Amino acid sequence: MADGVDCIGAGGGDSRLAGPAHACGDVDAGRCGVGAGGVPSGASTGSREAVELRDGDAARYGGQGVLRAVEHVNGEIAEALTGRGFTDLAELDAVLVDLDGTATKSRLGANAVVGVSIAAARAFAQAAGTPLWRYLTPVGVAPRLPVPHFNVLNGGVHAPNRLDFQEFMIAPVGAPSLAEAVRAGAEVYAALRARLAGLALATGLGDEGGFAPDIDAPEDVLGVIVAAIGDAGYRAGRDGVAIALDPAASEFHRDGAYHVAGQALSTDDMITRYEEIVARFPVWSIEDGLAESDWDGWSRLTARLGGRVQLVGDDLLVTNPTIVTDAVARRAATAALIKVNQVGTVSETLQTMGICRRAGWGQMVSHRSGETADTFIADLAVGSGCGQLKTGAPARGERVAKYNRLIEIEATDALPYGLR
Ligand code: PGA
Ligand code: ZN
């Protein structure tokens, strides 16, 4: 319960400051609690995502400034919230949704709305005297520490190399605890650096902290990662360190074909390629294996591979409750990627996660390639009990901050670790 809310917005930058800058929200829930929220930004965005409002003034940040979004926080949003009491976050978020009035938050800007919603969640948790993750736990759900998915090798639009697949993640599914999972992630990451250096490949980093060597075939990358898992002394597989992929296929789908390492593949050829990959390598999850427009392909992919690996929709589903409901009916995936800024408010995010849970779907909470030091998603992953979080490599402060937050939660509360 907040007796009166006050709200301030300010501009700030994300991890790609040379490009985008962002609005952050600050909510002061009267004498009850104070919260701030940082706003992330994607590069391989889904076309149906909530809309980021950018100034388009070429003289500032190459048109990516957010003065208008900040103005909306300090103007219309502050006016609608200030001095009003709210029983919970859902009520406050509903005011934000109504005030914006569009399906995609395009009037006020999802980058204005989401910072306020995250800040409000913190303020409500503080007012309730409870850790943020516990405030976010739905009734009847058991919180747990998620399996961290470390994106150790970057391609696609996150790196200037020839690699078409965007993300190669290591997931210590078999680790006994979160702390041991983070240790495994860091040790495999170090072993991978040594392997790449030994092959005279570049060890510079992509946007999410993974290495960005100039390798083009995904199978070659997988071979090096499996070797690095062994070098670090771990077993490659679900009883040790498994692999998760995010090819982000919308980005290499052009003219009706998937363009991978110089080949043009049909949807069915692409699915066959994944079948071969899953047969050869310990891949447990594939996100955006097909393009966001290829709905029939997704249903065929799920029929052919859904029994063996998790199939996660990101660009396909954009954390949107209506789209996820439709995808469940069409059996078009088996899990959803969860990004708060794709839908715009924390309450709508929790609604989408509830739909997944009731459908028996997986949920993987996710950062964006442009990030701030905000650690909200770590608490969301724990509180929702979903068992999976991807937030980059064990490198770069904005990524490590989330893993450190998980370690902090584990140190203070004895919660179970692992996949749901
Ligand atoms: P983005 O990519 O944050 O650049 O959109 C992340 C992802 O595709 O999962
Ligand atoms: Zn993705």
Side-chain angles (χ1 to χ4, degrees), residues 33-183:
V34 182
V39 180
S41 174
S44 67
T45 49
S47 63
R48 296 163 87 183
E49 285 194 23
V51 174
E52 282 180 351
L53 197 60
R54 300 289 183 172
D55 297 337
D57 170 3
R60 295 187 75 252
Y61 294 105
Q64 301 292 312
V66 290
L67 291 179
R68 283 193 299 153
V70 172
E71 244 169 63
H72 288 159
V73 176
N74 289 321
E76 276 193 61
I77 294 177
E79 263 164 51
L81 302 183
T82 303
R84 240 173 107 169
F86 294 96
T87 27
D88 58 18
L89 181 64
E91 200 185 323
L92 187 146
D93 280 344
V95 169
L96 294 175
V97 170
D98 286 350
L99 185 68
D100 173 76
T102 70
T104 53
K105 316 280 185 300
S106 59
R107 199 180 72 76
L108 295 172
N111 48 342
V113 172
V114 79
V116 174
S117 182
I118 290 173
R122 286 213 167 86
F124 278 111
Q126 205 188 91
T130 185
L132 181 57
W133 59 267
R134 205 189 292 278
Y135 182 76
L136 297 170
T137 305
V139 177
V141 167
R144 61 193 299 114
L145 291 153
V147 173
H149 285 62
F150 301 99
N151 181 8
V152 293
L153 209 135
N154 298 182
V157 297
H158 293 168
N161 55 10
R162 287 177 299 151
L163 184 59
D164 301 298
F165 280 22
Q166 179 178 283
E167 302 174 20
F168 293 77
M169 293 169 272
I170 50 170
V173 175
S177 65
L178 185 274
E180 285 301 310
V182 171
R183 175 182 162 199

Side-chain angles (χ1 to χ4, degrees), residues 44 166-167 246-248 287-288 313-315 337 339 366 390:
S44 67
Q166 179 178 283
E167 302 174 20
D246 177 8
E287 174 187 330
D288 281 357
D314 171 15
D315 291 355
L337 200 74
K339 292 167 167 167
S366 171
K390 74 163 194 177

